[in-house]
Amino acid sequence: MTEEKAVFFDSQVDADWADAPYGAVERPKLDRLFFRCGSLEGCRVLEPGCGTGRLTELLASAVGPDGFVHACDISLQMVQKAQKRVGSGGNVMVYHGAMEDLDLPEGSLDMVVCHQVFPHFDNKPRALEYIASALRPFGKLIIAHFECRDVINDVHRKAGTVVEYDNIPEENEMLAMLASVGMKVRYYSDDREMGYLLEAY
């Protein structure tokens, strides 16, 4: 399934949702995301499913020269565009591949930011297990979408493609999955106006 999804996202590389600059509607949602992140200066951050690097370049700026951003995506077309977007800065690297392929050391990350990617993990419990292992004690996980859960799931369901069954789990299921890897939720919001945002540690 991963290869089929890579082909699908290759085809979406120039779509507005994937590549257009953040607009006036998205800015408040982006500000809320960074508020939940807190200070990122000097942090080591993982951004799986980075797409064309729209958020990646902002994360790289936020962590500064003493931090580092590991970004990855299964779509080669997305990765190539992200690499051009972030340039050759010494505090960010964009990899082609799945998050698990990075083989990051246990406890090596301060934060993982899953922006508009969590539904697309084929094995969500295993993805969370990897994230929990890679985070340092009390490291932070952010799961964010610019639309609410119902809208995201409906868009995917109606797409009729390889993302048809890629859903954000219901709240109780999400909390249970996080608890199973030893993580607790600090903030949860699923709002039709502001979108979906979860912070766990």
Side-chain angles (χ1 to χ4, degrees):
M1 181 62 79
T2 298
E3 291 183 5
E4 294 176 6
K5 284 186 181 178
V7 171
F8 171 79
F9 285 112
D10 279 345
S11 73
Q12 298 292 305
V13 68
D14 294 320
D16 284 346
W17 69 264
D19 194 44
Y22 290 120
V25 173
E26 294 170 312
R27 278 291 171 183
K29 303 174 184 182
L30 193 63
D31 290 343
R32 186 175 71 144
L33 186 161
F34 275 98
F35 176 79
R36 297 315 309 184
C37 287
S39 175
L40 288 171
E41 187 172 357
C43 288
R44 300 188 68 83
V45 178
L46 169 63
E47 185 198 1
C50 66
T52 64
R54 293 197 301 168
L55 184 63
T56 313
E57 62 178 342
L58 300 180
L59 290 171
S61 177
V63 301
D66 295 326
F68 197 88
V69 177
H70 301 273
C72 63
D73 203 285
I74 62 172
S75 162
L76 180 59
Q77 298 294 322
M78 295 269 188
V79 164
Q80 290 173 339
K81 185 163 281 194
Q83 289 171 335
K84 291 180 181 178
R85 178 173 255 134
V86 302
S88 57
N91 69 342
V92 57
M93 182 68 73
V94 183
Y95 308 85
H96 177 223
M99 169 180 64
E100 294 85 352
D101 296 334
L102 299 184
D103 195 27
L104 295 169
E106 290 187 13
S108 62
L109 299 173
D110 298 294
M111 189 174 303
V112 177
V113 180
C114 294
H115 179 49
Q116 306 197 148
V117 68
F118 193 82
H120 305 304
F121 292 142
D122 289 335
N123 189 328
K124 294 174 179 63
R126 189 177 72 175
L128 287 174
E129 185 177 357
Y130 178 87
I131 288 169
S133 175
L135 282 170
R136 63 169 175 77
F138 300 103
K140 188 180 294 187
L141 166 64
I142 300 289
I143 299 175
H145 291 265
F146 286 158
E147 301 290 349
C148 68
R149 174 184 172 275
D150 286 346
V151 169
I152 292 291
N153 291 353
D154 190 55
V155 167
H156 291 168
R157 182 169 56 251
K158 291 177 178 177
T161 63
V162 292
V163 302
E164 183 177 2
Y165 300 106
D166 289 3
N167 293 328
I168 302 175
E170 293 184 2
E171 182 178 358
N172 288 342
E173 183 182 356
M174 179 68 82
L175 296 181
M177 284 195 296
L178 288 164
S180 72
V181 296
M183 300 193 75
K184 299 179 181 179
V185 173
R186 180 180 284 123
Y187 178 86
Y188 181 95
S189 177
D190 185 19
D191 181 86
R192 186 164 288 273
E193 181 178 348
M194 290 296 289
Y196 183 96
L197 186 59
L198 181 151
E199 175 191 344
Y201 64 98

